[in-house]
Amino acid sequence: QVHLVESGGGSVQAGGSLRLSCVTSGYTYNSNCMAWFRQVPGKERERVAGFVSRDGGPRYGDFVKGRFTISQDNAKNTVYLQMNSLKPEDTAMYYCAAGPPISGRLCPSAVYNYDTWGQGTQVTVSS
């Protein structure tokens, strides 16, 4: 059974920072595209950050506006999401996800393309 384990969520004041981590097995990490999504109750899950391709650069949701950074540690099979300048509207459950690349290389953007999900980690930003 595939597992994605997130950590690093918590409560911070506006302007603060958090770093989320997602660790998985080597097979999952090396075979899939990794991405971060978030969801607020009553709203659709939205992509926060991912990669253009398996060996490509990052891409972010429009709302990120330079505040977040996604990175990978291949030796640890871990994906990170560094979040700075947090705003109350960033409050959500954050999920790590893995999904097969399109045509063997390009990373998908849509939620439905990701078939493995972590349990989520809550991020709460107070004003």
Side-chain angles (χ1 to χ4, degrees):
Q1 188 173 2
V2 177
H3 292 285
L4 301 177
V5 181
E6 303 109 329
S7 61
S11 297
V12 296
Q13 290 190 326
S17 298
L18 286 172
R19 189 177 82 153
L20 308 184
S21 300
C22 172
V23 61
T24 186
S25 69
Y27 177 79
T28 297
Y29 184 86
N30 292 318
S31 302
N32 289 278
C33 291
M34 306 296 294
W36 287 97
F37 291 80
R38 71 183 187 184
Q39 189 169 23
V40 175
K43 293 189 176 182
E44 294 186 353
R45 193 167 294 190
E46 62 180 351
R47 193 183 67 156
V48 178
F51 296 95
V52 174
S53 63
R54 285 278 300 136
D55 56 358
R59 58 183 177 184
Y60 301 94
D62 291 341
F63 55 86
V64 170
K65 298 187 186 300
R67 300 180 297 126
F68 299 174
T69 302
I70 188 172
S71 62
Q72 301 179 109
D73 186 332
N74 296 334
K76 296 181 178 180
N77 301 329
T78 301
V79 178
Y80 302 98
L81 183 68
Q82 177 67 44
M83 303 187 295
N84 300 326
S85 302
L86 283 162
K87 305 175 182 180
E89 51 263 44
D90 293 318
T91 295
M93 185 72 79
Y94 284 71
Y95 297 91
C96 177
I102 300 171
S103 300
R105 182 172 176 273
L106 297 176
C107 289
S109 301
V111 172
Y112 60 78
N113 288 128
Y114 288 82
D115 53 12
T116 303
W117 295 84
Q119 80 286 355
T121 185
Q122 178 67 37
V123 171
T124 302
V125 185
S126 58
S127 57

